[in-house]
Amino acid sequence: GQQVMQIPQYQHVQEGEDFTTYCNSSTTLSNIQWYKQRPGGHPVFLIQLVKSGEVKKQKRLTFQFGEAKKNSSLHITATQTTDVGTYFCAANTGNQFYFGTGTSLTVIP
Amino acid sequence: SQTIHQWPATLVQPVGSPLSLECTVEGTSNPNLYWYRQAAGRGLQLLFYSVGIGQISSEVPQNLSASRPQDRQFILSSKKLLLSDSGFYLCAWRPRPVTEAFFGQGTRLTVV
């Protein structure tokens, strides 16, 4: 299957610090999606990026799609305890839908 | 509105016993359906996906099988569970044309 790698695997930050997770694909992507999974919960859709170099913002979250459409990033400014969870990028090849390895974020109050 | 139901929420099964997890979607037709497994603290592994009734694509050779007997029903099965089958199983659907995925609440399976 398609390889979609994410780094880092884990990240611990003090509340108020920034956080970034990176997603890298071995192939060019038609689009990329981001999901958040709270501890014990199921993944919930955050956003989809389609265009090369696209940047989208949701409050403190900034999503970027690389110019070559092979990588993406999610940046959270001034983390809060409500940001705790695992963040996944996801990409599809036809009808197959693959998730990245995920980055688990812990926010220390 | 569309909803997805997945049950049971938790399951403890002995090694060698059969498994049947069911997932149904309401409020949509002809969705793409997916089964994922998530080991503790790990990522989501795509197990099976289906684009229509009776159409199943397997991603990983393993002890599991899937079936789609109706348009909005997706079943994950095993004839004999292994310890390594333990994990968090998630069903998801995507509308056509494919956009975001919507997940069920998941089933936490422990094989003992």
Side-chain angles (χ1 to χ4, degrees), chain B residues 2-62:
Chain B
Q2 303 90 355
T3 56
I4 178 170
H5 302 279
Q6 186 183 341
W7 66 93
T10 58
L11 193 59
V12 180
Q13 291 284 101
V15 169
S17 64
L19 172 74
S20 181
L21 301 181
E22 187 163 344
C23 173
T24 59
V25 182
E26 295 178 359
T28 188
S29 59
N30 200 27
N32 281 6
L33 296 172
Y34 304 83
W35 278 111
Y36 292 89
R37 177 170 60 198
Q38 186 175 33
R42 305 294 294 276
L44 295 165
Q45 180 186 31
L46 178 61
L47 301 176
F48 301 95
Y49 70 94
S50 171
V51 300
I53 296 174
Q55 300 179 60
I56 308 295
S57 296
S58 175
E59 284 294 300
V60 182
Q62 58 205 330

Side-chain angles (χ1 to χ4, degrees), chain A residues 1 9-10 31 33 35 37 40-45 48 86 88 92 94-102, chain B residues 32 34 36 38 41-44 46 49 51 59 88 90 94 96 98-106 108:
Chain A
Q9 187 175 0
Y10 302 97
N31 59 67
Q33 298 180 359
Y35 291 77
Q37 183 180 26
H42 59 278
V44 175
F45 175 79
Q48 176 172 280
T86 301
F88 293 98
N92 50 258
N95 290 304
Q96 296 157 299
F97 193 49
Y98 297 100
F99 281 76
T101 45
Chain B
N32 281 6
Y34 304 83
Y36 292 89
Q38 186 175 33
R42 305 294 294 276
L44 295 165
L46 178 61
Y49 70 94
V51 300
E59 284 294 300
F88 190 42
L90 288 155
R94 300 175 79 195
R96 305 279 189 87
V98 289
T99 55
E100 66 196 83
F102 300 90
F103 283 84
Q105 297 297 312
R108 200 162 300 279

